[in-house]
Amino acid sequence: MIYTITLNPSIDYYIKVDNIKLGDINRFDDYHYVAAGKGINCSKVLNLLGIDSKAIYFSGNSTGKYINRHLKKYPYISTCPIENVSGATRINVKVIGNNETAFNSIGPEIDENAKKDLLEIIDTFEEDDYMIISGSLPKNVDTDYVKQICLKASERKAKVILDVPN
């Protein structure tokens, strides 16, 4: 199995604005929402290729529930939301106009029980599994925890692909 882990998932809210006037009310022409985060996006690419994956991510409040619902439409993605999160999953705003401008939220605080839940999931990995851990880190998740995740997956003999900031 290919597992994708998104520690800081988001709803990306795309709005299309032809002419932005700072300091004024702007109306936008079009918008859409998507479940996102680099790990979730990896699962979406695998889905396009017809490859099964399991998306593991921290999920908080109504925004987390939106991500859970959104991912159900992908036939090759099974979801594993970890819902012990203090706060809402973040919403990022992407403004598409002459240039793309992004406003990315920092995300919720991940409590110790949620961190423990993720480590318990990794305890189920097997030798031929792959773990892709990708994306930004929430405010109280540090690189030491990411190392702990990678070591645990390696102990299970899963192959680890890491793409997070240091």
Side-chain angles (χ1 to χ4, degrees):
M1 174 60 76
I2 300 173
Y3 296 92
T4 64
I5 298 178
T6 310
L7 298 172
N8 203 13
S10 67
I11 295 173
D12 284 355
Y13 178 39
Y14 288 90
I15 60 174
K16 184 178 179 316
V17 180
D18 287 331
N19 188 18
I20 298 174
K21 296 176 188 163
L22 295 178
D24 201 354
I25 294 174
N26 293 274
R27 306 239 182 255
F28 48 91
D29 304 316
D30 196 15
Y31 70 94
H32 67 277
Y33 302 93
V34 295
K38 284 188 179 178
I40 286 171
N41 291 343
C42 288
S43 278
K44 288 179 175 182
V45 169
L46 291 167
N47 183 81
L48 285 172
L49 298 170
I51 299 170
D52 290 323
S53 70
K54 181 173 256 183
I56 303 168
Y57 53 92
F58 293 121
S59 174
N61 293 336
S62 60
T63 49
K65 287 179 178 28
Y66 173 84
I67 291 173
N68 302 347
R69 286 190 314 273
H70 179 83
L71 292 177
K72 297 221 182 293
K73 72 180 185 179
Y74 295 92
Y76 296 101
I77 299 175
S78 60
T79 60
C80 184
I82 299 169
E83 296 179 342
N84 275 331
V85 177
S86 304
T89 300
R90 66 194 179 126
I91 298 174
N92 296 331
V93 178
K94 312 292 185 173
V95 181
I96 310 298
N98 293 336
N99 296 307
E100 180 175 335
T101 303
F103 299 92
N104 288 355
S105 173
I106 193 164
E109 198 165 299
I110 309 303
D111 68 30
E112 293 306 312
N113 288 328
K115 291 178 185 178
K116 183 178 157 210
D117 290 347
L118 175 55
L119 294 174
E120 288 174 0
I121 291 167
I122 294 169
D123 274 334
T124 67
F125 289 5
E126 297 179 359
E127 187 170 341
D128 291 330
D129 290 337
Y130 285 84
M131 178 186 78
I132 302 169
I133 182 168
S134 186
S136 66
L137 304 179
K139 54 186 157 193
N140 69 322
V141 173
D142 60 16
T143 54
D144 287 337
Y145 179 68
V146 174
K147 287 178 191 173
Q148 190 178 0
I149 292 168
C150 292
L151 287 171
K152 188 166 276 294
S154 293
E155 289 169 2
R156 304 290 303 163
K157 298 193 181 348
K159 285 84 176 163
V160 175
I161 299 166
L162 177 65
D163 176 24
V164 298
N166 56 4

